[in-house]
Amino acid sequence: MLRGRSLSVTSLGGLPRWEAGLPVEDLLLFEVAWEVTNKVGGIYTVIQTKAKTTADEWGDNYFLLGPYFEHNMKTQVEQCEPVNDAVRRAVDVMNKHGCQVHFGRWLIEGSPYVVLFDISYSARNLDAWKGDLWEACNVGIPYHDQEANDMLIFGSLTAWFLKEVTDHADGKHVIVQFHEWQAGTGLILSRARKLPIATVFTTHATLLGRYLCAANIDFYNHLDKFNIDKEAGERQIYHRYCMERASVHCAHVFTTVSEITAIEAEHMLKRKPDVITPNGLNVKKFSAVHEFQNLHATYKARIQDFVRGHFYGHLDFDLEKTLFLFIAGRYEFSNKGADIFLESLSRLNFLLRMHKSDVTVVVFFIMPAKTNNFNVETLKGQAVRKQLWDTAHSVKEKFGKKLYDALLRGEIPDMNNILDRDDLTIMKRAIFSTQRQSLPPVTTHNMIDDSTDPILSTIRRIGLFNSRTDRVKVILHPEFLSSTSPLLPMDYEEFVRGCHLGVFPSYYEPWGYTPAECTVMGIPSVTTNLSGFGCFMEEHVADPTAYGIYIVDRRFRSLDDSCNQLTQFLYGFCKQSRRQRIIQRNRTERLSDLLDWRYLGRYYQHARHLTLSRAFPDKFHTETTSPPMTEGFKYPRPSSVPPSPSGSQVSSPQSSDVEDENEDERYDEEEEAERDRLNIKSPLSLNHVPRGKKKLHGEYKN
């Protein structure tokens, strides 16, 4: 901790929070990222969700730096004048020298200040700034790489702005955190110009790692065997790789989002991260303890309505015994684990059929791809469902009026006469309208590359065509969900809450927001020990499976063994009773505190302590060495983990309506919740933990 200053634990909304122990009023904190107000990928979520916690602590001394785009400025930013004198002067000086710098408040939780640079307006300086970069680190950027050129302009404007700020900082120390290689040029130029700033560089995924994994290379088992320069050169990204690596080595402190990415970065970028900074979310608790269970029931009913229409004419399964599974994210067939998921679904289908299970599994693939329109058969299904609903309501109203009139007369109506021939004809026509010769479609849209699409090609190979005998049904929805869709009018959050299990068996996932979002909403999920989220849960929860976090070993097992393990996870989930699933969802939701920024923000705080001590050693001393990676920053494992809901299951699937009379005696939810609350909220120790032998990821009993 800092010499002469205390590091205390206080309370924020019932949750512990680390106070920095720093004179925040004497510091300025800047975060630089291409995704400030500009949604491209996961970094946008990181910055947006973290902003409130950081702004609460730093107040008017916290600023975000990003690119200016007119449509984003109009819809997301409220322009205002800078309150801080140094920032105001920096903006004014740059605008007077021919730049366009915009200042305002980002209209998200916390309302942080943002400084946005117009990239295109300053493009005339590109050649001169290329010369500056070459002089700083001997890295040249090809003229045809538009993205890298834009990043150079962005970085040059960032370095210029930081120089103006430090020139007028009036003794305040400046901390700047740069996210990803896109912001790295600003870090390189700032250090080359010896600006008096403390710098942190955070990589959320290495540039070359993404390229290598996309090529279906056995990445993690060959990390120490790659010729990095050769691999980057063959993919024509050598200059980008050099920008990323230079940023890493120029920073006072280097951080990454997970231990698995730290291992990758050490080999790819040749520097071991100083601190692991896991990604969090803004967790909002409901005042009613089980409100999230009520939301699950509500949104599940809406998904059931869609399924009724999609499978019209083949709806020979019980929707009350149907489980909804999903996978969502970018369409990266192998990286996101869609390949192993489909193979596991084929094996799950075989197991359910072999054991004559009455459970049906409907699986949604929410992965955007190129389409030209909705599938006609899918739209027809929803129209047929709505027509049947209207018919049933009209007959019901007619039936109710006759029943009402008869009761007013003091008569018991003759049920054989209460429906006339017209009513019977209408109902028969409605039944005939639900008949069809074709199978329910496996996709909701017309795919442009139908014959070569990886998901559809695999579905053809394994034969999951939604036939009557299949216990596993597949629906590819190649478009992000929207409440305005005529097909499945639900937002993503509503859809997730209505499902039973999220499945994300990714091969390359530096963090993994999708399973984290499931956890916060109380929905169990499948992840892997190659994802940052999976490693985090293995590290901080003694028995993740008991809490609805199924971790597939994709690092130390063969692909076939991993597929079998995933199949067993899915089959075990299908065997749970309805009560067991409710218990598991309660446990899953209680883990959300571990993912709250009010907890995880302390990792960022530690990185800031460390960078100040390295950038300004005369003014900020540390009494202990920095704990490597996450050591010294561990949440305690639960001292006593309740048995998994699957631990008391019978050998074959049981009806969700049948409950064990003794379950109430075995499970006391309030007692268990209190124990979990105490475990999760135990205060952290910031003392250095000596490095010892750690359990390898994947070495656990299945």
Side-chain angles (χ1 to χ4, degrees), residues 24 79 94 140 229 283 304 395 556:
V24 174
Q79 284 192 281
M94 292 183 69
D229 293 332
V283 178
Q304 287 175 335
V395 173
F556 301 112

Side-chain angles (χ1 to χ4, degrees), residues 481-509:
L481 296 169
S482 170
S483 58
T484 59
S485 169
L487 205 60
L488 185 56
M490 300 179 73
D491 289 329
Y492 177 73
E493 180 180 340
E494 297 172 344
F495 177 80
V496 171
R497 288 191 182 277
C499 288
H500 296 91
L501 181 71
V503 185
F504 315 101
S506 305
Y507 183 76
Y508 187 77
E509 193 72 81

Side-chain angles (χ1 to χ4, degrees), residues 555-571:
R555 189 175 181 194
F556 301 112
R557 295 192 182 198
S558 67
L559 187 62
D560 187 61
D561 287 345
S562 298
C563 191
N564 283 333
Q565 186 186 19
L566 176 55
T567 304
Q568 289 303 315
F569 283 155
L570 298 179
Y571 184 59

Side-chain angles (χ1 to χ4, degrees), residues 193-211:
R193 295 165 185 171
K194 295 182 171 53
L195 299 186
I197 61 175
T199 58
V200 181
F201 183 78
T202 301
T203 183
H204 298 258
T206 68
L207 190 63
L208 189 55
R210 283 196 184 277
Y211 276 85

Side-chain angles (χ1 to χ4, degrees), residues 352-540:
L352 293 176
R353 290 171 62 176
M354 184 178 68
H355 290 94
K356 295 180 169 50
S357 172
D358 59 355
V359 173
T360 302
V361 178
V362 176
V363 184
F364 293 87
F365 286 76
I366 313 296
M367 306 180 88
K370 293 181 179 179
T371 64
N372 57 24
N373 214 330
F374 291 111
N375 186 306
V376 174
E377 190 65 22
T378 305
L379 288 172
K380 180 183 176 183
Q382 299 308 313
V384 168
R385 178 192 64 80
K386 188 176 185 304
Q387 183 185 24
L388 281 175
W389 178 260
D390 293 341
T391 300
H393 267 264
S394 65
V395 173
K396 182 183 74 173
E397 288 180 5
K398 194 172 181 181
F399 176 93
K401 187 176 184 303
K402 290 182 179 180
L403 177 62
Y404 174 67
D405 290 340
L407 293 176
L408 280 177
R409 294 193 301 269
E411 301 172 358
I412 299 296
D414 184 356
M415 292 301 176
N416 294 323
N417 297 326
I418 203 165
L419 294 176
D420 55 30
R421 292 177 60 87
D422 289 342
D423 297 328
L424 294 174
T425 299
I426 290 173
M427 289 190 290
K428 287 178 181 178
R429 289 178 61 182
I431 292 173
F432 289 151
S433 70
T434 64
Q435 297 178 1
R436 66 176 176 189
Q437 303 302 317
S438 61
L439 293 173
V442 296
T443 179
T444 58
H445 292 61
N446 294 324
M447 304 289 287
I448 291 179
D449 298 320
D450 182 287
S451 60
T452 59
D453 182 81
I455 291 179
L456 294 181
S457 297
T458 306
I459 289 174
R460 296 185 191 103
R461 178 177 62 80
I462 62 180
L464 282 181
F465 296 121
N466 295 339
S467 65
R468 291 182 183 274
T469 57
D470 286 331
R471 296 270 51 84
V472 175
K473 319 285 186 180
V474 178
I475 302 174
L476 170 60
H477 188 280
E479 194 176 74
F480 283 130
L481 296 169
S482 170
S483 58
T484 59
S485 169
L487 205 60
L488 185 56
M490 300 179 73
D491 289 329
Y492 177 73
E493 180 180 340
E494 297 172 344
F495 177 80
V496 171
R497 288 191 182 277
C499 288
H500 296 91
L501 181 71
V503 185
F504 315 101
S506 305
Y507 183 76
Y508 187 77
E509 193 72 81
W511 175 247
Y513 258 120
T514 41
E517 289 167 340
C518 285
T519 303
V520 168
M521 289 185 262
I523 303 300
S525 62
V526 177
T527 182
T528 73
N529 60 350
L530 290 181
S531 77
F533 174 81
C535 293
F536 180 84
M537 284 300 174
E538 273 191 326
E539 185 70 21
H540 296 91

